[in-house]
Amino acid sequence: MVAALSGEPLLAKQTERERRTAENEQLHLALIAVLIGIPELDRERLSLAAAPVDASLRVPADSATQTRSWQVYEAALRAAAIWWPAHRAGARMAEKELAGKAFRDTKAWTEAKRHAFSYLVKLPFDQAVDEADVAIKLSGPLVWKTEETIADAAGVAPWIAVPARGVRSLGEVECKAIGIFVVENTEAFEKVCMTPGIPERWLCVWLQGNPSTRLLDFLKGLDLPVAAWCDLDAYGVRMIANLEHSLDRPVTPVGMSVELWRAGTKRLQTEEQLAKARAVAVQAESQGPASVRALAAAIAETGDCCEHETLYPEVLPTLDATLRALEQSWPWERWGNI
């Protein structure tokens, strides 16, 4: 109480605010300097210069980036400041080239940064920069062909890889699968591809751990029901929710029951990792799809992760039967004649 009456805690807080405000002023000035001489970004520069600076970093309300995140805003501006002069000179930039120059980290792009950058340069991201194509690993009744067959996903064991951009822009794809079965991790995906009965009926697709935009575009172009087998953790649950949002259709989790999670081998994690997982699970429990809320609620208690590679004996022997039962339960009128 004496300390409070003497004003010492108040003075400490005031000093901390002053320190953060001074740091933010330097960040503002540094970002404004990056934008000088880029006429296409004059409006952003003037808005930033006019914005008040205090202990919290705030994006100007009229920014074209359409984000409230300072981290996303700053990244988009820095990338656009490099992109515009190159674009005016008629030069194309590659995705990682631009990230390396703007962020000093070629892997620093996120979807939020891509969107904000696209608003600044007034072009879709894949038209503004050259993206390296990604390989889609798959197995099942799908054929990619022009006048002749280029790739037959049913004719190669255990799987085949096709370029995400190429398969959508050259020739045509014929898919006679009853559904799409996506698997998060590569080893589990290969096990599924080698399970009799499944790749004969389902298009099995490796989810790449964290699916790329191009993979999602490929899946979205196939008007088929989707099932997924992911890690039984907060991030696997979130992946189901993200897939549903990206594909604009329900995604049925398979091999992801609460019972399997409770009985499964748990991955070693630090207290910090467990706390982060609990927070993600709590959000999924309240906002995620109904199909994963029970699992999210269980994970929210501890944050524990059960990787799906540890569940081969429990899941793989009955996986074909599980998928056949799922086929019988789907509302096929949603998908027309498959």
Side-chain angles (χ1 to χ4, degrees), residues 90-113:
R92 294 259 324 162
M93 296 195 73
E95 174 188 18
K96 291 193 173 184
E97 173 194 13
L98 180 55
K101 292 180 177 180
F103 317 140
R104 298 187 180 182
D105 182 352
T106 61
K107 299 178 178 65
W109 282 113
T110 65
E111 283 306 300
K113 291 176 184 177

Side-chain angles (χ1 to χ4, degrees), residues 21 24-25 28 32 46-62 70:
T21 299
N24 290 345
E25 287 174 347
H28 271 246
I32 290 169
L46 293 172
S47 293
L48 180 61
V53 181
D54 54 28
S56 299
L57 287 167
R58 296 183 182 87
V59 178
D62 61 347
W70 176 269

Side-chain angles (χ1 to χ4, degrees), residues 36-51:
I36 293 173
I38 314 294
E40 296 87 353
L41 298 175
D42 276 348
R43 179 181 170 184
E44 294 288 338
R45 178 176 56 80
L46 293 172
S47 293
L48 180 61

Side-chain angles (χ1 to χ4, degrees), residues 4 29 47 52 66 87 160 163 175 178 262 272 290 330:
L29 289 173
S47 293
Q66 298 190 28
H87 180 68
I160 194 170
C175 184
I178 199 166
R262 291 197 188 282
E272 181 180 2
W330 260 327

Side-chain angles (χ1 to χ4, degrees), residues 175-191:
C175 184
K176 297 181 179 179
I178 199 166
I180 302 169
F181 187 36
V182 295
V183 184
E184 179 177 353
N185 296 320
T186 183
E187 183 184 87
F189 161 72
E190 186 163 308
K191 292 284 187 182

